[in-house]
Amino acid sequence: METKQLATLVVVEHDNQSLSVDTLKAFNATSKITDDGATLPVSALLIGHQCSAVLDALKRVQGVSQIIVIDAAEYQHPLAENLSALIAEVGKAYSHILAPASTFGKNLLPRVAALLDVGQLSDVVAIESLDTVIRPIYAGNALARVRSNDAIKIMTARSSAFDLVAMSDSPVVENVITLETTIVAEHSEFISQQKVKSSRPELPAASVVVSGGRGLGSKENFALVEQLADKLGGAIGASRAAVDAGFVSNDLQVGQTGKIVAPQLYIAIGISGAIQHLAGMKDSKVIVAINSDPDAPIFQVADYGLVGDLFEIMPELLEKV
């Protein structure tokens, strides 16, 4: 497969109103894709419907040389089945295609890779050269250096490994191309979306995350986590065990099979620290753990640990905060 240009295409995640934080971090990752020290030209692919607000934000992203806009009613609700075919069509002209390693990116890019008959570099945490990246394996216990010989490098960037891209106060991207290409999904259709609405910050964007585990014992006791998060202006997270027990919905799960976060402060309450959970939060700047078991694995990664009964500690902590 021949590529037409040495350049990067970033698939933009959005809700037709605003850019996702994960996408802003993916843009930062593109600055590491260099050829003889020079960053490759970066194009942003915006697919949606009535998404002018997102376009306005994209124009302020530093480092973007071109924005490709496809605005059509068919893309009001993103479906991987037709989006992937469209991305593959546009992306075949690029040497690198990149998206955040969010649910959005994980749903789309493997399909794009299959359509282009290339492999995928998943959950990339560092980019060393045009063809070599670093990605975690074994639930983050080891890092693998992976080289791709494919003509098109398709990768998802782990958001916790990259900072937010710099944005200007005024538009800096002048090259905007509008395409009329639309591909209708023949075998799937959008029915409905169930999304938890909360005044709390989203997990990937929060600077403070308070997570609860099985140690809380019940859905009612999980209110202790919510109260602390509200006092600290933070987001709520949970371990797989807490989600499986029905304490909270699965969109709050932090870990290998949930969301990967790296806030300034991560507080783990009643979480033992299974390796799958640690994989989702161990890059946090400061980790605080509260657990009754002094041998709990969570204490091995915690900066501050408090051993004791959380039902005695939490009311006192809430009072003092």
Side-chain angles (χ1 to χ4, degrees), residues 25-282:
K25 293 187 175 184
F27 277 120
N28 193 13
T30 65
S31 65
K32 315 299 181 185
I33 308 175
T34 59
D35 181 28
D36 289 332
T39 302
L40 300 189
V42 176
S43 295
L45 177 59
L46 172 59
I47 306 171
H49 181 51
Q50 297 179 346
C51 51
S52 57
V54 183
L55 176 59
D56 291 340
L58 273 178
K59 289 179 179 178
R60 297 190 292 111
V61 176
Q62 295 187 13
V64 173
S65 55
Q66 180 187 71
I67 302 173
I68 302 170
V69 182
I70 302 174
D71 191 324
E74 288 86 350
Y75 303 120
Q76 180 175 0
H77 303 289
L79 294 173
E81 288 75 12
N82 61 334
L83 272 188
S84 55
L86 182 58
I87 294 166
E89 180 64 28
V90 176
K92 65 184 180 182
Y94 292 80
S95 59
H96 295 73
I97 302 175
L98 194 140
S102 58
T103 304
F104 172 83
K106 291 176 179 178
N107 192 26
L108 274 177
L109 286 206
R111 301 168 188 260
V112 176
L115 290 169
L116 294 174
D117 196 25
V118 297
Q120 177 173 307
L121 303 166
S122 302
D123 257 341
V124 170
V125 297
I127 300 172
E128 292 193 337
S129 67
L130 287 174
D131 61 0
T132 305
V133 301
I134 305 293
R135 63 177 301 270
I137 58 174
Y138 301 125
N141 278 320
L143 296 174
R145 178 177 284 107
V146 183
R147 175 176 293 165
S148 170
N149 293 324
D150 289 323
I152 300 178
K153 315 303 192 277
I154 294 183
M155 63 181 78
T156 55
R158 178 174 284 195
S159 299
S160 62
F162 299 96
D163 295 326
L164 291 168
V165 71
M167 295 188 70
S168 300
D169 294 330
S170 57
V172 292
V173 185
E174 297 180 356
N175 188 2
V176 178
I177 298 174
T178 301
L179 299 181
E180 302 297 332
T181 310
T182 55
I183 298 176
V184 179
E186 296 180 355
H187 305 294
S188 63
E189 63 176 317
F190 176 83
I191 301 297
S192 64
Q193 182 181 34
Q194 294 181 340
K195 191 173 183 179
V196 177
K197 292 185 178 181
S198 173
S199 59
R200 302 183 183 99
E202 294 285 329
L203 265 174
S207 59
V208 176
V209 174
V210 183
S211 283
R214 191 192 340 240
L216 284 156
S218 69
K219 184 175 183 179
E220 290 70 29
N221 291 335
F222 208 89
L224 293 169
V225 172
E226 297 172 353
Q227 291 169 28
L228 182 58
D230 290 341
K231 281 179 174 287
L232 297 175
I236 290 176
S239 68
R240 170 74 180 269
V243 169
D244 287 349
F247 298 172
V248 290
S249 60
N250 58 8
D251 62 320
L252 298 180
Q253 182 180 325
V254 172
Q256 184 181 13
T257 54
K259 289 184 170 67
I260 309 294
V261 299
Q264 295 294 321
L265 174 62
Y266 187 89
I267 303 177
I269 302 169
I271 295 175
S272 61
I275 188 62
Q276 290 85 357
H277 184 78
L278 299 185
M281 46 65 73
K282 66 181 181 181

